[in-house]
Amino acid sequence: MQPRPQPRPSARSAVPPFRVMEILADVERLRAAGRDVVSLCAGEPSGGAPQVVARAAARVHARNEGLGYTPALGTEPLRRAVAGHYARWYGLDVAPEQVAVTTGASGALVLTFLAAFDVGDRVAVCRPGYPAYRNTLSALGAEVVELDCGAATRFQPTPAVLDAAVAAHGPLHGLVVAGPANPTGTVLEPAELAALARWCAEHGTRLISDEIYHGIVHTAPAGSGGRGGGPYRGTCAWEHEPGAVVISSFSKYWGMTGWRLGWALLPRDLVAPVDALAGNVSLCPPAAAQHAAVEAFTEEAYAEADGAVEQFARSRSLLLDALPALGWGESAPADGAFYLYADLGEQLERHGSSLEWCRRLLEAEAVAVVPGLDFDAARGHRTVRLSFAAGPAQVEEAVTRILRFQARP
């Protein structure tokens, strides 16, 4: 009797797991066992949503009204509010109909990749870089071209790097950039982003700019300034290329990670495709979160979020001041976001790899950090990413424990 064919998982689902999530599971295991764990893993601000947003959410749920499906690309008030945010921070005139509200920035990425690229299209991403770009593109059938972006280019791509990629792999249909970037924290300076935008326009390459960490900038580029004399928030790709897709979210600057609410600024040719896809993929973003998130664009919310950024800066200073004592190797410029990405240097001689160093640190001192393998398959065995979003007290305690761990015979 012939064996019956068995169903199997798709080949496209065979993407690497995100080690951050695995480590977070280990953190929960240790905490359940009574350990006092200091976690510098997830890029998750500890303060949560601004109070004005939280109060609005309470009112929305208390009324139990307006919690049905919304339009696929979000409510009109929220789309208008997002458009107004771009006028405030960047002086850009964004049409609300070009704003797509999504289920987190992750939802924006999926919808954008589906709308912009066909199976087999060649899309470039940076290495080191956020692994979901690479893994989501691969799962959707794109050919991912990794750009080796090291310290020589401030961990960001350049036109010369793109020219080399085309020579090696062929024309690029898309380029994904981020600034401030995860895991390196490097900011894309205005001139750098302008040069990349020109290159993409000249080569027919769709530029996708992940700007989820805008507003969290610790070292502004020389000569840059914010709108109306305010602080520098980052450079928006639409300042240089209206055909780009801009991705952002309420998760980082506003601290609203679990609310699962993000957005994309779409060029007009992608609005209808994303609208159709969104209605099929997710129907709509979370309704209650949308109604409350309008309050994120009030003076009170901006002020509270800026206060959180000041705390990130304090935590950053603690880590940078500790680097000589830690004795690690080269680290990326932590100019924005809330990450320190560093080579472990001499520690590798004792532990062999960053993965093993992280495992031993967690078990010995209950400090959780992320090995660089998620972000760089080529050299991530040497590096770690520390998130200082948890706050100064947690960072200070983590440094004390790491120094104690490294001093062990």
Side-chain angles (χ1 to χ4, degrees):
M1 185 177 181
Q2 292 287 341
R4 294 179 179 179
Q6 296 295 313
R8 57 176 178 76
S10 68
R12 70 173 59 198
S13 68
V15 297
F18 198 7
R19 287 180 177 85
V20 170
M21 307 312 292
E22 295 180 346
I23 293 172
L24 287 174
D26 287 337
V27 168
E28 291 306 307
R29 171 181 58 82
L30 290 174
R31 284 175 173 165
R35 299 286 298 277
D36 174 24
V37 181
V38 177
S39 178
L40 304 187
C41 281
E44 185 166 27
S46 59
Q51 286 301 304
V52 65
V53 178
R55 291 194 299 268
R59 291 195 300 270
V60 168
H61 284 286
R63 289 196 304 265
N64 199 25
E65 296 175 356
L67 300 183
Y69 296 134
T70 75
L73 296 188
T75 66
E76 184 65 22
L78 184 54
R79 295 172 80 183
R80 287 199 307 268
V82 172
H85 171 72
Y86 282 85
R88 177 188 179 114
W89 272 15
Y90 312 98
L92 289 170
D93 184 12
V94 173
E97 60 266 24
Q98 289 182 264
V99 176
V101 180
T102 58
T103 307
S106 300
L109 287 170
V110 170
L111 291 170
T112 297
F113 293 161
L114 280 169
F117 306 123
D118 284 316
V119 171
D121 279 359
R122 200 172 292 114
V123 183
V125 302
C126 300
R127 188 182 72 231
Y130 183 50
Y133 305 146
R134 176 183 69 248
N135 294 340
T136 302
L137 284 163
S138 295
L140 295 176
E143 178 186 338
V144 178
V145 176
E146 291 193 313
L147 307 173
D148 189 3
C149 301
T153 62
R154 296 180 53 259
F155 299 91
Q156 292 285 1
T158 65
V161 169
L162 295 173
D163 287 338
V166 170
H169 302 281
L172 299 175
H173 298 89
L175 167 66
V176 182
V177 298
N182 178 8
T184 60
T186 55
V187 173
L188 260 174
E189 298 187 357
E192 294 172 335
L193 185 54
L196 292 174
R198 283 195 303 271
W199 190 97
C200 288
E202 291 167 0
H203 291 79
T205 301
R206 179 83 69 179
L207 176 62
I208 299 172
S209 179
D210 184 348
E211 301 176 3
I212 190 174
Y213 293 100
H214 273 210
I216 310 174
V217 178
H218 311 296
T219 304
S224 63
R227 176 76 174 165
Y232 178 74
R233 304 292 189 172
T235 302
C236 180
W238 271 22
E239 297 178 55
H240 304 288
E241 175 49 62
V245 177
V246 173
I247 306 291
S248 196
S249 170
F250 293 90
S251 290
K252 307 303 182 179
Y253 173 73
W254 285 280
M256 296 166 58
T257 51
W259 296 62
R260 305 316 304 136
L261 209 58
W263 69 80
L265 302 188
L266 300 171
R268 293 194 180 276
D269 66 311
L270 290 186
V271 172
V274 169
D275 193 356
L277 286 163
N280 283 278
V281 171
S282 61
L283 293 182
C284 69
Q290 289 188 69
H291 297 315
V294 174
E295 299 296 323
F297 302 106
T298 60
E299 294 296 333
E300 180 181 342
Y302 279 119
E304 190 171 335
D306 283 342
V309 174
E310 292 175 3
Q311 292 302 303
F312 300 150
R314 286 184 56 203
S315 300
R316 171 182 179 267
S317 295
L318 286 169
L319 272 181
L320 295 182
D321 290 346
L323 281 176
L326 290 168
W328 296 346
E330 183 178 57
S331 62
D335 292 331
F338 30 64
Y339 303 116
L340 176 69
Y341 190 70
D343 188 291
L344 283 175
E346 295 179 358
Q347 290 299 314
L348 292 167
E349 297 177 11
R350 294 182 59 195
H351 301 281
S353 72
S354 60
L355 178 61
E356 191 60 28
W357 184 90
C358 289
R359 284 174 174 165
R360 293 176 182 178
L361 174 65
L362 182 57
E363 293 299 330
E365 291 290 347
V367 176
V369 300
V370 181
L373 292 167
D374 271 338
F375 313 101
D376 186 344
R379 289 188 292 275
H381 64 285
R382 299 189 54 87
T383 58
V384 291
R385 188 198 75 175
L386 285 71
S387 168
F388 48 84
Q394 291 287 90
V395 168
E396 191 168 23
E397 177 63 21
V399 168
T400 298
R401 296 186 190 188
I402 292 170
L403 290 171
R404 189 166 62 210
F405 168 71
Q406 292 187 165
R408 294 186 178 201

